[in-house]
PDB file of all heavy atoms in Angstrom:
ATOM      1  N   LEU A  27     130.827 170.523 -22.682  1.00  0.00           N
ATOM      2  CA  LEU A  27     129.929 170.671 -23.866  1.00  0.00           C
ATOM      3  C   LEU A  27     128.553 171.095 -23.576  1.00  0.00           C
ATOM      4  O   LEU A  27     127.947 171.732 -24.441  1.00  0.00           O
ATOM      5  CB  LEU A  27     129.863 169.238 -24.533  1.00  0.00           C
ATOM      6  CG  LEU A  27     130.989 168.842 -25.455  1.00  0.00           C
ATOM      7  CD1 LEU A  27     130.799 167.364 -25.923  1.00  0.00           C
ATOM      8  CD2 LEU A  27     131.073 169.741 -26.671  1.00  0.00           C
ATOM      9  N   ASP A  28     128.080 170.848 -22.379  1.00  0.00           N
ATOM     10  CA  ASP A  28     126.736 171.199 -22.026  1.00  0.00           C
ATOM     11  C   ASP A  28     126.520 172.734 -21.963  1.00  0.00           C
ATOM     12  O   ASP A  28     125.389 173.214 -22.026  1.00  0.00           O
ATOM     13  CB  ASP A  28     126.285 170.591 -20.716  1.00  0.00           C
ATOM     14  CG  ASP A  28     127.171 171.086 -19.514  1.00  0.00           C
ATOM     15  OD1 ASP A  28     128.360 171.377 -19.803  1.00  0.00           O
ATOM     16  OD2 ASP A  28     126.746 171.042 -18.379  1.00  0.00           O
ATOM     17  N   ALA A  29     127.675 173.513 -21.960  1.00  0.00           N
ATOM     18  CA  ALA A  29     127.576 174.923 -21.936  1.00  0.00           C
ATOM     19  C   ALA A  29     127.159 175.503 -23.313  1.00  0.00           C
ATOM     20  O   ALA A  29     126.651 176.587 -23.392  1.00  0.00           O
ATOM     21  CB  ALA A  29     128.932 175.559 -21.524  1.00  0.00           C
ATOM     22  N   LEU A  30     127.347 174.727 -24.405  1.00  0.00           N
ATOM     23  CA  LEU A  30     127.126 175.255 -25.760  1.00  0.00           C
ATOM     24  C   LEU A  30     125.676 175.783 -25.953  1.00  0.00           C
ATOM     25  O   LEU A  30     125.449 176.769 -26.581  1.00  0.00           O
ATOM     26  CB  LEU A  30     127.413 174.210 -26.804  1.00  0.00           C
ATOM     27  CG  LEU A  30     128.899 173.852 -27.004  1.00  0.00           C
ATOM     28  CD1 LEU A  30     129.086 172.669 -27.846  1.00  0.00           C
ATOM     29  CD2 LEU A  30     129.636 175.046 -27.571  1.00  0.00           C
ATOM     30  N   GLY A  31     124.695 175.056 -25.408  1.00  0.00           N
ATOM     31  CA  GLY A  31     123.298 175.402 -25.606  1.00  0.00           C
ATOM     32  C   GLY A  31     122.732 176.362 -24.542  1.00  0.00           C
ATOM     33  O   GLY A  31     121.511 176.663 -24.656  1.00  0.00           O
ATOM     34  N   LYS A  32     123.525 176.741 -23.594  1.00  0.00           N
ATOM     35  CA  LYS A  32     123.012 177.606 -22.545  1.00  0.00           C
ATOM     36  C   LYS A  32     123.179 179.109 -22.920  1.00  0.00           C
ATOM     37  O   LYS A  32     123.840 179.446 -23.832  1.00  0.00           O
ATOM     38  CB  LYS A  32     123.742 177.283 -21.201  1.00  0.00           C
ATOM     39  CG  LYS A  32     123.439 175.867 -20.655  1.00  0.00           C
ATOM     40  CD  LYS A  32     124.120 175.658 -19.339  1.00  0.00           C
ATOM     41  CE  LYS A  32     123.814 174.273 -18.763  1.00  0.00           C
ATOM     42  NZ  LYS A  32     124.470 174.034 -17.493  1.00  0.00           N
ATOM     43  N   TYR A  33     122.633 179.913 -22.039  1.00  0.00           N
ATOM     44  CA  TYR A  33     122.618 181.360 -22.212  1.00  0.00           C
ATOM     45  C   TYR A  33     123.479 181.963 -21.116  1.00  0.00           C
ATOM     46  O   TYR A  33     123.644 181.384 -19.975  1.00  0.00           O
ATOM     47  CB  TYR A  33     121.224 182.019 -22.218  1.00  0.00           C
ATOM     48  CG  TYR A  33     120.471 181.606 -23.473  1.00  0.00           C
ATOM     49  CD1 TYR A  33     119.737 180.355 -23.497  1.00  0.00           C
ATOM     50  CD2 TYR A  33     120.372 182.415 -24.540  1.00  0.00           C
ATOM     51  CE1 TYR A  33     119.068 180.003 -24.627  1.00  0.00           C
ATOM     52  CE2 TYR A  33     119.604 182.045 -25.724  1.00  0.00           C
ATOM     53  CZ  TYR A  33     119.027 180.864 -25.738  1.00  0.00           C
ATOM     54  OH  TYR A  33     118.309 180.504 -26.819  1.00  0.00           O
ATOM     55  N   PRO A  34     123.966 183.182 -21.299  1.00  0.00           N
ATOM     56  CA  PRO A  34     124.920 183.867 -20.326  1.00  0.00           C
ATOM     57  C   PRO A  34     124.321 183.941 -18.949  1.00  0.00           C
ATOM     58  O   PRO A  34     125.044 183.814 -17.942  1.00  0.00           O
ATOM     59  CB  PRO A  34     125.187 185.213 -20.957  1.00  0.00           C
ATOM     60  CG  PRO A  34     125.103 184.976 -22.391  1.00  0.00           C
ATOM     61  CD  PRO A  34     123.955 184.017 -22.579  1.00  0.00           C
ATOM     62  N   HIS A  35     123.024 184.173 -18.807  1.00  0.00           N
ATOM     63  CA  HIS A  35     122.470 184.327 -17.467  1.00  0.00           C
ATOM     64  C   HIS A  35     122.534 183.064 -16.583  1.00  0.00           C
ATOM     65  O   HIS A  35     122.256 183.137 -15.375  1.00  0.00           O
ATOM     66  CB  HIS A  35     120.994 184.821 -17.559  1.00  0.00           C
ATOM     67  CG  HIS A  35     120.010 183.715 -18.051  1.00  0.00           C
ATOM     68  ND1 HIS A  35     119.742 183.544 -19.319  1.00  0.00           N
ATOM     69  CD2 HIS A  35     119.311 182.848 -17.256  1.00  0.00           C
ATOM     70  CE1 HIS A  35     118.876 182.565 -19.436  1.00  0.00           C
ATOM     71  NE2 HIS A  35     118.566 182.131 -18.251  1.00  0.00           N
ATOM     72  N   GLU A  36     122.848 181.971 -17.235  1.00  0.00           N
ATOM     73  CA  GLU A  36     122.880 180.708 -16.494  1.00  0.00           C
ATOM     74  C   GLU A  36     124.290 180.425 -15.901  1.00  0.00           C
ATOM     75  O   GLU A  36     124.505 179.397 -15.299  1.00  0.00           O
ATOM     76  CB  GLU A  36     122.565 179.533 -17.459  1.00  0.00           C
ATOM     77  CG  GLU A  36     121.164 179.627 -18.029  1.00  0.00           C
ATOM     78  CD  GLU A  36     120.806 178.478 -18.958  1.00  0.00           C
ATOM     79  OE1 GLU A  36     120.689 177.328 -18.455  1.00  0.00           O
ATOM     80  OE2 GLU A  36     120.693 178.702 -20.198  1.00  0.00           O
ATOM     81  N   PHE A  37     125.158 181.406 -16.046  1.00  0.00           N
ATOM     82  CA  PHE A  37     126.569 181.261 -15.595  1.00  0.00           C
ATOM     83  C   PHE A  37     126.907 182.358 -14.516  1.00  0.00           C
ATOM     84  O   PHE A  37     126.344 183.417 -14.538  1.00  0.00           O
ATOM     85  CB  PHE A  37     127.575 181.286 -16.756  1.00  0.00           C
ATOM     86  CG  PHE A  37     127.339 180.233 -17.747  1.00  0.00           C
ATOM     87  CD1 PHE A  37     126.503 180.425 -18.822  1.00  0.00           C
ATOM     88  CD2 PHE A  37     127.990 178.959 -17.588  1.00  0.00           C
ATOM     89  CE1 PHE A  37     126.338 179.401 -19.754  1.00  0.00           C
ATOM     90  CE2 PHE A  37     127.813 177.958 -18.498  1.00  0.00           C
ATOM     91  CZ  PHE A  37     126.992 178.115 -19.625  1.00  0.00           C
ATOM     92  N   SER A  38     127.894 182.007 -13.754  1.00  0.00           N
ATOM     93  CA  SER A  38     128.420 182.992 -12.816  1.00  0.00           C
ATOM     94  C   SER A  38     129.368 183.941 -13.532  1.00  0.00           C
ATOM     95  O   SER A  38     129.666 183.854 -14.706  1.00  0.00           O
ATOM     96  CB  SER A  38     129.173 182.314 -11.694  1.00  0.00           C
ATOM     97  OG  SER A  38     130.365 181.705 -12.221  1.00  0.00           O
ATOM     98  N   GLY A  39     129.735 185.015 -12.839  1.00  0.00           N
ATOM     99  CA  GLY A  39     130.641 186.007 -13.412  1.00  0.00           C
ATOM    100  C   GLY A  39     131.950 185.424 -13.900  1.00  0.00           C
ATOM    101  O   GLY A  39     132.453 185.775 -15.015  1.00  0.00           O
ATOM    102  N   GLY A  40     132.560 184.610 -13.086  1.00  0.00           N
ATOM    103  CA  GLY A  40     133.800 183.951 -13.485  1.00  0.00           C
ATOM    104  C   GLY A  40     133.636 183.017 -14.674  1.00  0.00           C
ATOM    105  O   GLY A  40     134.486 183.002 -15.592  1.00  0.00           O
ATOM    106  N   GLN A  41     132.526 182.314 -14.761  1.00  0.00           N
ATOM    107  CA  GLN A  41     132.247 181.435 -15.974  1.00  0.00           C
ATOM    108  C   GLN A  41     131.971 182.294 -17.201  1.00  0.00           C
ATOM    109  O   GLN A  41     132.415 181.891 -18.238  1.00  0.00           O
ATOM    110  CB  GLN A  41     131.024 180.551 -15.587  1.00  0.00           C
ATOM    111  CG  GLN A  41     131.301 179.456 -14.557  1.00  0.00           C
ATOM    112  CD  GLN A  41     130.042 178.759 -14.132  1.00  0.00           C
ATOM    113  OE1 GLN A  41     129.012 179.258 -14.020  1.00  0.00           O
ATOM    114  NE2 GLN A  41     130.179 177.459 -13.845  1.00  0.00           N
ATOM    115  N   ARG A  42     131.288 183.399 -17.035  1.00  0.00           N
ATOM    116  CA  ARG A  42     131.061 184.282 -18.132  1.00  0.00           C
ATOM    117  C   ARG A  42     132.390 184.790 -18.751  1.00  0.00           C
ATOM    118  O   ARG A  42     132.584 184.871 -19.892  1.00  0.00           O
ATOM    119  CB  ARG A  42     130.164 185.440 -17.785  1.00  0.00           C
ATOM    120  CG  ARG A  42     128.781 185.072 -17.424  1.00  0.00           C
ATOM    121  CD  ARG A  42     127.879 186.291 -17.238  1.00  0.00           C
ATOM    122  NE  ARG A  42     126.652 185.953 -16.541  1.00  0.00           N
ATOM    123  CZ  ARG A  42     125.624 186.743 -16.399  1.00  0.00           C
ATOM    124  NH1 ARG A  42     125.696 187.942 -16.975  1.00  0.00           N
ATOM    125  NH2 ARG A  42     124.571 186.437 -15.774  1.00  0.00           N
ATOM    126  N   GLN A  43     133.383 185.137 -17.847  1.00  0.00           N
ATOM    127  CA  GLN A  43     134.617 185.599 -18.346  1.00  0.00           C
ATOM    128  C   GLN A  43     135.366 184.474 -18.977  1.00  0.00           C
ATOM    129  O   GLN A  43     136.141 184.715 -19.989  1.00  0.00           O
ATOM    130  CB  GLN A  43     135.461 186.211 -17.214  1.00  0.00           C
ATOM    131  CG  GLN A  43     136.579 187.187 -17.676  1.00  0.00           C
ATOM    132  CD  GLN A  43     136.059 188.378 -18.432  1.00  0.00           C
ATOM    133  OE1 GLN A  43     135.456 188.240 -19.502  1.00  0.00           O
ATOM    134  NE2 GLN A  43     136.431 189.491 -17.991  1.00  0.00           N
ATOM    135  N   ARG A  44     135.159 183.244 -18.576  1.00  0.00           N
ATOM    136  CA  ARG A  44     135.811 182.052 -19.244  1.00  0.00           C
ATOM    137  C   ARG A  44     135.218 181.962 -20.621  1.00  0.00           C
ATOM    138  O   ARG A  44     135.935 181.569 -21.614  1.00  0.00           O
ATOM    139  CB  ARG A  44     135.593 180.785 -18.431  1.00  0.00           C
ATOM    140  CG  ARG A  44     136.447 180.718 -17.175  1.00  0.00           C
ATOM    141  CD  ARG A  44     136.018 179.512 -16.309  1.00  0.00           C
ATOM    142  NE  ARG A  44     136.766 179.510 -15.040  1.00  0.00           N
ATOM    143  CZ  ARG A  44     137.865 178.806 -14.906  1.00  0.00           C
ATOM    144  NH1 ARG A  44     138.385 177.984 -15.837  1.00  0.00           N
ATOM    145  NH2 ARG A  44     138.516 178.815 -13.699  1.00  0.00           N
ATOM    146  N   ILE A  45     133.933 182.165 -20.750  1.00  0.00           N
ATOM    147  CA  ILE A  45     133.289 182.147 -22.072  1.00  0.00           C
ATOM    148  C   ILE A  45     133.909 183.241 -23.016  1.00  0.00           C
ATOM    149  O   ILE A  45     134.151 183.024 -24.157  1.00  0.00           O
ATOM    150  CB  ILE A  45     131.801 182.289 -21.927  1.00  0.00           C
ATOM    151  CG1 ILE A  45     131.171 181.093 -21.220  1.00  0.00           C
ATOM    152  CG2 ILE A  45     131.117 182.464 -23.310  1.00  0.00           C
ATOM    153  CD1 ILE A  45     129.716 181.298 -20.807  1.00  0.00           C
ATOM    154  N   ALA A  46     134.144 184.427 -22.422  1.00  0.00           N
ATOM    155  CA  ALA A  46     134.691 185.531 -23.199  1.00  0.00           C
ATOM    156  C   ALA A  46     136.093 185.183 -23.600  1.00  0.00           C
ATOM    157  O   ALA A  46     136.549 185.474 -24.776  1.00  0.00           O
ATOM    158  CB  ALA A  46     134.666 186.797 -22.376  1.00  0.00           C
ATOM    159  N   ILE A  47     136.858 184.509 -22.767  1.00  0.00           N
ATOM    160  CA  ILE A  47     138.200 184.074 -23.095  1.00  0.00           C
ATOM    161  C   ILE A  47     138.189 183.039 -24.217  1.00  0.00           C
ATOM    162  O   ILE A  47     138.978 183.033 -25.173  1.00  0.00           O
ATOM    163  CB  ILE A  47     138.991 183.590 -21.852  1.00  0.00           C
ATOM    164  CG1 ILE A  47     139.189 184.788 -20.890  1.00  0.00           C
ATOM    165  CG2 ILE A  47     140.271 182.981 -22.210  1.00  0.00           C
ATOM    166  CD1 ILE A  47     139.663 184.297 -19.556  1.00  0.00           C
ATOM    167  N   ALA A  48     137.228 182.053 -24.074  1.00  0.00           N
ATOM    168  CA  ALA A  48     137.050 181.040 -25.124  1.00  0.00           C
ATOM    169  C   ALA A  48     136.754 181.727 -26.512  1.00  0.00           C
ATOM    170  O   ALA A  48     137.331 181.263 -27.517  1.00  0.00           O
ATOM    171  CB  ALA A  48     135.917 180.104 -24.733  1.00  0.00           C
ATOM    172  N   ARG A  49     135.953 182.782 -26.509  1.00  0.00           N
ATOM    173  CA  ARG A  49     135.623 183.453 -27.718  1.00  0.00           C
ATOM    174  C   ARG A  49     136.898 184.072 -28.340  1.00  0.00           C
ATOM    175  O   ARG A  49     137.095 184.072 -29.542  1.00  0.00           O
ATOM    176  CB  ARG A  49     134.558 184.550 -27.503  1.00  0.00           C
ATOM    177  CG  ARG A  49     134.243 185.387 -28.693  1.00  0.00           C
ATOM    178  CD  ARG A  49     133.101 186.361 -28.442  1.00  0.00           C
ATOM    179  NE  ARG A  49     133.408 187.219 -27.290  1.00  0.00           N
ATOM    180  CZ  ARG A  49     132.570 188.106 -26.746  1.00  0.00           C
ATOM    181  NH1 ARG A  49     131.309 188.179 -27.330  1.00  0.00           N
ATOM    182  NH2 ARG A  49     132.872 188.842 -25.754  1.00  0.00           N
ATOM    183  N   ALA A  50     137.688 184.626 -27.453  1.00  0.00           N
ATOM    184  CA  ALA A  50     139.018 185.181 -27.946  1.00  0.00           C
ATOM    185  C   ALA A  50     139.977 184.163 -28.429  1.00  0.00           C
ATOM    186  O   ALA A  50     140.752 184.497 -29.336  1.00  0.00           O
ATOM    187  CB  ALA A  50     139.662 186.052 -26.764  1.00  0.00           C
ATOM    188  N   LEU A  51     139.895 182.970 -27.920  1.00  0.00           N
ATOM    189  CA  LEU A  51     140.901 181.894 -28.314  1.00  0.00           C
ATOM    190  C   LEU A  51     140.450 181.162 -29.594  1.00  0.00           C
ATOM    191  O   LEU A  51     141.292 180.516 -30.224  1.00  0.00           O
ATOM    192  CB  LEU A  51     140.985 180.884 -27.218  1.00  0.00           C
ATOM    193  CG  LEU A  51     141.689 181.317 -25.912  1.00  0.00           C
ATOM    194  CD1 LEU A  51     141.666 180.230 -24.903  1.00  0.00           C
ATOM    195  CD2 LEU A  51     143.215 181.663 -26.180  1.00  0.00           C
ATOM    196  N   ILE A  52     139.224 181.298 -30.049  1.00  0.00           N
ATOM    197  CA  ILE A  52     138.731 180.387 -31.021  1.00  0.00           C
ATOM    198  C   ILE A  52     139.366 180.594 -32.393  1.00  0.00           C
ATOM    199  O   ILE A  52     139.455 179.686 -33.187  1.00  0.00           O
ATOM    200  CB  ILE A  52     137.192 180.497 -31.161  1.00  0.00           C
ATOM    201  CG1 ILE A  52     136.641 179.273 -31.837  1.00  0.00           C
ATOM    202  CG2 ILE A  52     136.775 181.771 -31.855  1.00  0.00           C
ATOM    203  CD1 ILE A  52     135.111 179.151 -31.725  1.00  0.00           C
ATOM    204  N   THR A  53     139.951 181.817 -32.683  1.00  0.00           N
ATOM    205  CA  THR A  53     140.626 182.044 -33.963  1.00  0.00           C
ATOM    206  C   THR A  53     142.102 181.708 -33.843  1.00  0.00           C
ATOM    207  O   THR A  53     142.840 181.881 -34.818  1.00  0.00           O
ATOM    208  CB  THR A  53     140.458 183.527 -34.378  1.00  0.00           C
ATOM    209  OG1 THR A  53     141.098 184.331 -33.432  1.00  0.00           O
ATOM    210  CG2 THR A  53     139.025 183.843 -34.560  1.00  0.00           C
ATOM    211  N   ARG A  54     142.501 181.136 -32.644  1.00  0.00           N
ATOM    212  CA  ARG A  54     143.906 180.842 -32.341  1.00  0.00           C
ATOM    213  C   ARG A  54     144.812 181.992 -32.650  1.00  0.00           C
ATOM    214  O   ARG A  54     145.735 182.023 -33.477  1.00  0.00           O
ATOM    215  CB  ARG A  54     144.351 179.589 -33.296  1.00  0.00           C
ATOM    216  CG  ARG A  54     143.555 178.392 -32.932  1.00  0.00           C
ATOM    217  CD  ARG A  54     143.567 177.373 -34.048  1.00  0.00           C
ATOM    218  NE  ARG A  54     142.659 176.203 -33.732  1.00  0.00           N
ATOM    219  CZ  ARG A  54     142.227 175.367 -34.623  1.00  0.00           C
ATOM    220  NH1 ARG A  54     142.601 175.409 -35.870  1.00  0.00           N
ATOM    221  NH2 ARG A  54     141.406 174.347 -34.272  1.00  0.00           N
ATOM    222  N   PRO A  55     144.585 183.061 -31.925  1.00  0.00           N
ATOM    223  CA  PRO A  55     145.353 184.365 -32.142  1.00  0.00           C
ATOM    224  C   PRO A  55     146.706 184.239 -31.554  1.00  0.00           C
ATOM    225  O   PRO A  55     147.111 183.351 -30.818  1.00  0.00           O
ATOM    226  CB  PRO A  55     144.526 185.354 -31.362  1.00  0.00           C
ATOM    227  CG  PRO A  55     143.952 184.625 -30.179  1.00  0.00           C
ATOM    228  CD  PRO A  55     143.630 183.185 -30.773  1.00  0.00           C
ATOM    229  N   ARG A  56     147.552 185.186 -31.946  1.00  0.00           N
ATOM    230  CA  ARG A  56     148.922 185.344 -31.429  1.00  0.00           C
ATOM    231  C   ARG A  56     149.016 186.369 -30.268  1.00  0.00           C
ATOM    232  O   ARG A  56     149.950 186.386 -29.544  1.00  0.00           O
ATOM    233  CB  ARG A  56     149.875 185.642 -32.563  1.00  0.00           C
ATOM    234  CG  ARG A  56     149.897 184.614 -33.639  1.00  0.00           C
ATOM    235  CD  ARG A  56     150.982 184.850 -34.624  1.00  0.00           C
ATOM    236  NE  ARG A  56     152.319 184.766 -33.944  1.00  0.00           N
ATOM    237  CZ  ARG A  56     153.463 185.236 -34.495  1.00  0.00           C
ATOM    238  NH1 ARG A  56     153.426 185.927 -35.654  1.00  0.00           N
ATOM    239  NH2 ARG A  56     154.655 185.120 -33.876  1.00  0.00           N
ATOM    240  N   LEU A  57     148.032 187.282 -30.278  1.00  0.00           N
ATOM    241  CA  LEU A  57     147.995 188.389 -29.283  1.00  0.00           C
ATOM    242  C   LEU A  57     146.638 188.524 -28.763  1.00  0.00           C
ATOM    243  O   LEU A  57     145.637 188.573 -29.450  1.00  0.00           O
ATOM    244  CB  LEU A  57     148.456 189.720 -29.954  1.00  0.00           C
ATOM    245  CG  LEU A  57     148.242 191.007 -29.163  1.00  0.00           C
ATOM    246  CD1 LEU A  57     149.141 191.000 -27.910  1.00  0.00           C
ATOM    247  CD2 LEU A  57     148.450 192.242 -30.004  1.00  0.00           C
ATOM    248  N   ILE A  58     146.509 188.592 -27.397  1.00  0.00           N
ATOM    249  CA  ILE A  58     145.228 188.917 -26.731  1.00  0.00           C
ATOM    250  C   ILE A  58     145.459 190.324 -26.021  1.00  0.00           C
ATOM    251  O   ILE A  58     146.432 190.424 -25.174  1.00  0.00           O
ATOM    252  CB  ILE A  58     144.865 187.818 -25.792  1.00  0.00           C
ATOM    253  CG1 ILE A  58     144.349 186.580 -26.657  1.00  0.00           C
ATOM    254  CG2 ILE A  58     143.745 188.291 -24.853  1.00  0.00           C
ATOM    255  CD1 ILE A  58     143.779 185.496 -25.783  1.00  0.00           C
ATOM    256  N   VAL A  59     144.545 191.158 -26.170  1.00  0.00           N
ATOM    257  CA  VAL A  59     144.435 192.403 -25.428  1.00  0.00           C
ATOM    258  C   VAL A  59     143.366 192.240 -24.395  1.00  0.00           C
ATOM    259  O   VAL A  59     142.192 192.076 -24.724  1.00  0.00           O
ATOM    260  CB  VAL A  59     144.142 193.630 -26.355  1.00  0.00           C
ATOM    261  CG1 VAL A  59     144.016 194.899 -25.533  1.00  0.00           C
ATOM    262  CG2 VAL A  59     145.236 193.785 -27.442  1.00  0.00           C
ATOM    263  N   ALA A  60     143.747 192.294 -23.108  1.00  0.00           N
ATOM    264  CA  ALA A  60     142.762 192.093 -22.006  1.00  0.00           C
ATOM    265  C   ALA A  60     142.683 193.375 -21.259  1.00  0.00           C
ATOM    266  O   ALA A  60     143.565 193.908 -20.649  1.00  0.00           O
ATOM    267  CB  ALA A  60     143.333 191.044 -21.113  1.00  0.00           C
ATOM    268  N   ASP A  61     141.457 194.019 -21.446  1.00  0.00           N
ATOM    269  CA  ASP A  61     141.208 195.332 -20.848  1.00  0.00           C
ATOM    270  C   ASP A  61     140.418 195.167 -19.553  1.00  0.00           C
ATOM    271  O   ASP A  61     139.227 194.856 -19.516  1.00  0.00           O
ATOM    272  CB  ASP A  61     140.406 196.188 -21.816  1.00  0.00           C
ATOM    273  CG  ASP A  61     140.213 197.627 -21.347  1.00  0.00           C
ATOM    274  OD1 ASP A  61     140.808 198.001 -20.309  1.00  0.00           O
ATOM    275  OD2 ASP A  61     139.553 198.417 -22.054  1.00  0.00           O
ATOM    276  N   GLU A  62     141.167 195.205 -18.441  1.00  0.00           N
ATOM    277  CA  GLU A  62     140.549 195.098 -17.087  1.00  0.00           C
ATOM    278  C   GLU A  62     139.689 193.815 -17.006  1.00  0.00           C
ATOM    279  O   GLU A  62     138.567 193.819 -16.583  1.00  0.00           O
ATOM    280  CB  GLU A  62     139.658 196.284 -16.728  1.00  0.00           C
ATOM    281  CG  GLU A  62     140.402 197.643 -16.771  1.00  0.00           C
ATOM    282  CD  GLU A  62     141.070 197.948 -15.441  1.00  0.00           C
ATOM    283  OE1 GLU A  62     141.200 197.040 -14.573  1.00  0.00           O
ATOM    284  OE2 GLU A  62     141.466 199.097 -15.222  1.00  0.00           O
ATOM    285  N   PRO A  63     140.305 192.648 -17.337  1.00  0.00           N
ATOM    286  CA  PRO A  63     139.478 191.408 -17.474  1.00  0.00           C
ATOM    287  C   PRO A  63     138.964 190.867 -16.124  1.00  0.00           C
ATOM    288  O   PRO A  63     138.065 189.958 -16.195  1.00  0.00           O
ATOM    289  CB  PRO A  63     140.481 190.429 -18.163  1.00  0.00           C
ATOM    290  CG  PRO A  63     141.812 190.877 -17.646  1.00  0.00           C
ATOM    291  CD  PRO A  63     141.703 192.370 -17.598  1.00  0.00           C
TER     292      PRO A  63
END
């Protein structure tokens, strides 16, 4: 939960990609297109 109020520069590359994946999951999609993730 502590990640909610932080900014991208406070995270490593791997953590930033986890944030990007969380953004993709939030609408509960059926298909994810991952372009060189």
